[in-house]
Amino acid sequence: MLTLAAATAMSLAACAQNKGEKSMQVENKPLVVYFSATGTTAKAARTIADITGGTLYEIVPQQAYTSDDLDWNDKQSRSSVEMNNPQARPALKDTKLDVAAYDVIFIGYPIWWDQAPRIIDTFIESHDLEGKTLVPFATSGGSGVGNSVRTLRKAYPDLEWQDGKLLNGVSRNAIQNWVSDVMGK
């Protein structure tokens, strides 16, 4: 009888320990935030969130971008005007995101003029990201991610930036391998 009681107690302790490990895993899930003007970056963000089990959050501008706003050939288009003004900070529709529970934050965006769109600056400046590991990812029709990451590092030198990754046409398996490297798994 005593042996049975001891075995039951040990089993319950192991169960409690396993539950503690699972709750720690849930707490260590990343936040995947993204801005997507055409849906391409949204697709990459959903893949990262699915692979990591992370929380997905869309950065939504207060005023949506139209196709005319995104016409990079028009120097008077909204995106052209914003990107030509380093101080531009497009307003966010929602700034009530609590980032405190996350240690790793993936930040996704399309490359505009070889940089992150100015709304990414708005997001960064609207949240306390100090002490977080920030992992940029981007989509682009022709630019790499390197200059956008260098620009973000220069603008926000007190934040902990990873190198980042361009995810155009990248397979789910390749994204999974990259995420595993980033998350140290």
Side-chain angles (χ1 to χ4, degrees), residues 60-81:
V60 180
Q62 196 167 59
Q63 178 186 348
Y65 288 87
T66 67
S67 58
D68 287 342
D69 291 337
L70 299 173
D71 183 358
W72 60 275
N73 289 310
D74 177 0
K75 296 202 183 302
Q76 298 307 311
S77 73
R78 179 175 163 201
S79 58
S80 295
V81 170

Side-chain angles (χ1 to χ4, degrees), residues 7 12 22 25 38-39 45-46 53 55-57 66 68 88 120 122 124 134 146 150 152 155 166 177 181 184:
L12 289 173
K22 285 181 184 175
Q25 290 172 350
T38 64
R46 286 191 297 270
T55 302
L56 190 63
Y57 179 83
T66 67
D68 287 342
I120 297 300
T122 307
I124 291 168
L134 304 175
R150 278 189 296 279
L152 289 169
L166 189 67
N177 289 338
D181 288 345

Side-chain angles (χ1 to χ4, degrees), residues 8-143:
T8 302
M10 288 174 65
S11 256
L12 289 173
C15 253
Q17 185 177 14
N18 286 343
K19 284 183 183 177
E21 287 173 12
K22 285 181 184 175
S23 70
M24 284 297 286
Q25 290 172 350
V26 169
E27 289 173 12
N28 289 328
K29 297 293 182 188
L31 175 62
V32 182
V33 301
Y34 69 95
F35 166 68
S36 186
T38 64
T40 305
T41 307
K43 183 179 176 187
R46 286 191 297 270
T47 301
I48 293 169
D50 184 50
I51 289 168
T52 63
T55 302
L56 190 63
Y57 179 83
E58 182 177 7
I59 299 169
V60 180
Q62 196 167 59
Q63 178 186 348
Y65 288 87
T66 67
S67 58
D68 287 342
D69 291 337
L70 299 173
D71 183 358
W72 60 275
N73 289 310
D74 177 0
K75 296 202 183 302
Q76 298 307 311
S77 73
R78 179 175 163 201
S79 58
S80 295
V81 170
E82 288 175 2
M83 294 311 291
N84 283 321
N85 177 3
Q87 304 310 312
R89 295 298 182 266
L92 301 174
K93 190 171 190 176
D94 178 19
T95 59
K96 294 181 174 77
L97 175 65
D98 182 10
V99 298
Y102 302 96
D103 294 328
V104 176
I105 301 175
F106 288 85
I107 300 180
Y109 49 86
I111 300 288
W112 287 3
W113 290 258
D114 207 27
Q115 298 177 50
R118 302 290 181 219
I119 198 163
I120 297 300
D121 294 296
T122 307
F123 175 82
I124 291 168
E125 293 168 11
S126 299
H127 297 86
D128 181 8
L129 302 178
E130 200 166 311
K132 310 295 181 189
T133 298
L134 304 175
V135 185
F137 66 95
T139 57
S140 173
S143 299

